[in-house]
Structure formats: structure tokens, C-alpha cells
Amino acid sequence: MAPREEVAYVTCTYRSTCIEQPDFLATVDLNPRSSTYGQVIHRLPVPNLKDELHCAGWGPACGCFDSGAAARRNRLVLPSLISSRIYVMIEPVDVFWKCNKGYLAVTHALPNGDILIANMGDAAGYGRGGFVVLDGDTFELKGNWEGDCEAPPSGYDFCFQPRHNVLLSSAGPVPRVALRRFCPDDFKKGIFGRRLNVWNLSCRRLTQCFDLGEDSLPLSVRSLHSPDAAEGYVGCALSGAIFRFYRACEATFIADLIISPDDRFLFVCNWLHGDIRQYELRRGCKPRLVGQCKRVCGGPAALQLSLDGKRLYVTNSFYSAWDRQLYPSVLREGSVMLQIDVDTDKGGLCVNENFLVDFGKEPLGPCLAHDIRLLGGDAKSVPLP
């Protein structure tokens, strides 16, 4: 019953494009009755060059039940994948010296109102996963979330379920090597992560690890939206496998996956092959393929789903250095944002031919768009407990 989304926020970077301009956050008009429907209506540039804005996350007041904040989403936190800078302004030297962390990826607000950001490595770019914490009121950098426990070899994405006191994090690649270029020969060199990590949310300790195989690279991890659910899915970028995880009592490149707010469908994008798929989820059963779209130039890299589950938004830039290697035309022509209409009754996907945001026509030159956040909430927001 949520109102239809009218605005999307999209992270855009100029890194690797040979255009010396700062990254920016684009505001896209999603209202089909608007004269600027499907267009960028505002650009918020950051003050530095080559940050590589990658993922965005809602700050506090995102359903933070312990903080007393209203359940609204009005603050975006932008971590930088390459510079390790955090906007709202936290310089990388603070992250390096206080936390010995760098290469910041995914952001979520914690139940107490603080902000948790997953990192891929240490300050030097060697594999050392984990998290940094920002104060939800002041945005002050508090330090490492995981305390003194052993940090995983690498990190990227995470999700959590407060009612089950669990946080799950994916592996990601070792940034010092893998972020230079994508090389399949690195499979057996420990460059690509292979673990799904299980944490005790309240104690901040690593309790269990699942080895998903040397060629797996688990990136996107999503739990079901129901606060009582003790299950979810992790997409492995290199092996193409999607694993279902649950509390024990019961060659593709998966770049992103998302679960509909009603927990009926799983959406998966395959970056290397330009493939988007929709699976029907049945509790305790194998997901059933019910919809598929193919051949998005550049490969679908990031997804976002409206709260009513009827509109799936997709961009086609994954990471600038790998884009340059595998899809050089995207750097020359810029990336795009598409809308895919979802059949929520029988299952099925259809590209909306009336919606196309062309980031190749930006005033300062073609740029690369990645993460998408919807004003008023979206299907990647962490569920209430």
C-alpha cells in the first residue's frame, strides 16, 4: 500500500573515464506525469576527484527503533570505494588511522541508530573485511564495529535480522589486486573472497563461516523482509550460484540481487551476460524462474525495487576499472538507468520503453551510474524488528 516512488538517487562516477570531474549524486524523476520524467533533475557533486561513489545507504531515522527516530528516510550516506572518504564529510585519514580500514562499500543503519559501513580491506588495500561505525546523530567516526575479534579476509555487503540477533556479511575481492583489473586467473590466488560470514549482532563477534568455493566471490546478500524470517540468499558473482541460507532447524557474474518487500520474488542481475531474472520464492523449496530479461548493453549491475514490487530499476555500471576492461563502450558512451515492469501475479518482466535515463548525455560528459535509492523507501532498506 506504499505510495508510488517519485524520485530516485543514483551514485555516478567519472573515475576511469578520462574526464577530470568529481563524482555526483543524481536525482532522477520517476513520476510518469511529470514533464521531466526519466531525466536527471539535480546533480550534487562531491568536492574531490576519483572517489568512486559506489553504494549509498540511508542514515539514521531509517526505522531505527532504539533511537527514537521517526521511520523516515531523509539522510543518505555515501562511502567511497576507492578513496575511502565518507560523505557526510569524514576524511580517509580518520578511517585509516582510527580503524585501519579502507575501501568502503555498503551502508545500513543499525537498530540503535548508528550507521554501519562494510569495508573490503585495510588502509593499504590488503584483505581485511569488517565494519566501521558512525554515530547516528553526529556522524562522528566511532571506530571498528567488530571490536577485537578476528576480521574476515575480505568484505563487501551485509544484512541483519535483529529478532534473530544475527548479521551476515559477504566476502568481496582483495582490493589491492582485484580492483586494478578483473582476472579469472586469480581464482586460486586468494584474491576473490569465498566466505559467507555469520555474526552475533549484539556481541559483534564472528560465530560461523561458510566456504562457498574458490571461484564463488559472494557479493550481494539479502535476508527476507519479514522480521521473523531466518533465511535469505547470497549471490556468488563468479560461480553464478545463488545459495539459500537459513537458521539450522530446517559462469555467470551475479552483481546484485533483491527480494520483493512481500518476500514473494527474488530478482537477480547477471553483469557479464546482460541477464536479469525473476524467481518465485516458496518457503523451503527451490526458487522457480518466472521472468527474464536479456541483453542490456554493458550488463545489468545494480537493482532497486519499488515498495509495491511492480517496478524494477537497473543501472549497467558495476565498477569503473572492470567496466573499462570488459565493457569499454560504457565508458565512452556513459551508462543508463532502465525501468522493468514486474508481473506480480503470474511472474514476468518487461522493459518499460518509455523510461530511459541516459548518463551519456551529462553536461560534463558521459559518466557511470551504479547504486539506486528511492525517496520514501525501497526494497533494500533493512526491515524493522
Side-chain angles (χ1 to χ4, degrees):
M1 300 301 294
R4 178 175 176 136
E5 67 284 353
E6 297 190 354
V7 168
Y9 300 108
V10 183
T11 57
C12 299
T13 185
Y14 278 112
R15 186 174 177 272
S16 300
T17 66
C18 297
I19 297 176
E20 293 294 313
Q21 293 292 336
D23 297 351
F24 64 95
L25 185 70
T27 304
V28 177
D29 189 342
L30 302 181
N31 185 351
R33 297 182 299 276
S34 171
S35 61
T36 55
Y37 174 60
Q39 298 179 28
V40 176
I41 57 177
H42 187 268
R43 299 167 183 87
L44 177 66
V46 297
N48 301 283
L49 296 176
K50 300 180 180 179
D51 286 305
E52 184 103 10
L53 296 182
H54 188 65
C55 293
W58 293 109
C62 181
C64 301
F65 51 95
D66 289 343
S67 67
R72 63 185 186 278
R73 297 173 172 90
N74 58 4
R75 297 181 184 177
L76 273 175
V77 179
L78 302 176
S80 303
L81 187 63
I82 295 301
S83 71
S84 301
R85 193 171 279 114
I86 304 173
Y87 301 100
V88 215
M89 300 296 293
I90 296 176
E91 286 297 307
V93 65
D94 297 325
V95 181
F96 296 158
W97 284 105
K98 195 166 188 176
C99 306
N100 190 27
K101 296 290 182 66
Y103 301 89
L104 307 176
V106 175
T107 301
H108 290 303
L110 286 169
N112 67 356
D114 285 343
I115 300 165
L116 192 63
I117 304 176
N119 72 287
M120 296 174 64
D122 61 15
Y126 293 104
R128 186 172 182 264
F131 310 88
V132 300
V133 184
L134 308 184
D135 185 281
D137 294 321
T138 66
F139 294 101
E140 176 187 1
L141 181 63
K142 286 186 170 183
N144 294 350
W145 177 79
E146 65 272 19
D148 298 328
C149 74
E150 179 185 358
S154 58
Y156 182 76
D157 195 8
F158 69 99
C159 65
F160 56 84
Q161 284 286 39
R163 288 190 184 179
H164 297 281
N165 192 34
V166 65
L167 181 148
L168 296 106
S169 65
S170 61
V174 176
R176 184 178 180 89
V177 178
L179 293 188
R180 296 175 185 171
R181 62 188 297 268
F182 176 74
C183 181
D185 292 339
D186 290 334
F187 284 171
K188 294 180 172 61
K189 298 179 182 179
I191 302 303
F192 298 115
R194 50 193 291 175
R195 290 176 19 174
L196 177 66
N197 304 299
V198 183
W199 303 77
N200 183 300
L201 183 61
S202 59
C203 296
R204 305 183 180 187
R205 291 197 172 275
L206 192 62
T207 61
Q208 194 173 11
C209 300
F210 295 97
D211 189 329
L212 304 182
E214 66 181 8
D215 61 346
S216 57
L217 185 55
L219 285 183
S220 299
V221 56
R222 303 281 184 265
S223 63
L224 296 187
H225 291 276
S226 169
D228 291 319
E231 63 179 286
Y233 297 84
V234 57
C236 296
L238 296 180
S239 69
I242 301 173
F243 291 94
R244 173 178 174 258
F245 57 83
Y246 56 92
R247 180 182 288 273
C249 63
E250 33 171 327
T252 56
F253 193 112
I254 304 300
D256 200 4
L257 53 82
I258 197 167
I259 298 172
S260 64
D262 59 5
D263 292 337
R264 287 186 58 205
F265 297 109
L266 172 71
F267 299 89
V268 181
C269 67
N270 180 347
W271 182 57
L272 284 182
H273 293 81
D275 183 15
I276 298 176
R277 300 189 180 197
Q278 176 192 19
Y279 291 89
E280 183 182 20
L281 301 180
R282 297 178 178 177
R283 186 173 296 274
C285 300
K286 182 179 179 180
R288 182 172 66 94
L289 180 65
V290 292
Q292 188 169 7
C293 288
K294 291 188 176 181
R295 300 309 307 164
V296 174
C297 179
L303 302 174
Q304 188 55 269
L305 185 67
S306 62
L307 287 176
D308 61 8
K310 295 182 178 180
R311 290 166 300 283
L312 183 69
Y313 298 96
V314 56
T315 56
N316 63 334
S317 169
F318 179 67
Y319 164 59
S320 65
W322 292 8
D323 290 342
R324 179 177 56 194
Q325 180 183 352
L326 297 175
Y327 294 112
S329 62
V330 174
L331 272 75
R332 295 192 303 267
E333 302 173 9
S335 60
V336 298
M337 175 179 170
L338 302 174
Q339 177 189 319
I340 296 172
D341 295 327
V342 181
D343 186 334
T344 57
D345 294 326
K346 299 179 181 178
L349 303 175
C350 180
V351 175
N352 185 334
E353 297 182 358
N354 297 318
F355 183 94
L356 171 67
V357 184
D358 187 354
F359 289 96
K361 297 181 179 179
E362 284 298 299
L364 298 177
C367 70
L368 306 175
H370 180 69
D371 199 27
I372 307 166
R373 286 291 180 172
L374 304 181
L375 179 63
D378 49 58
K380 285 187 178 178
S381 300
V382 176
L384 288 171

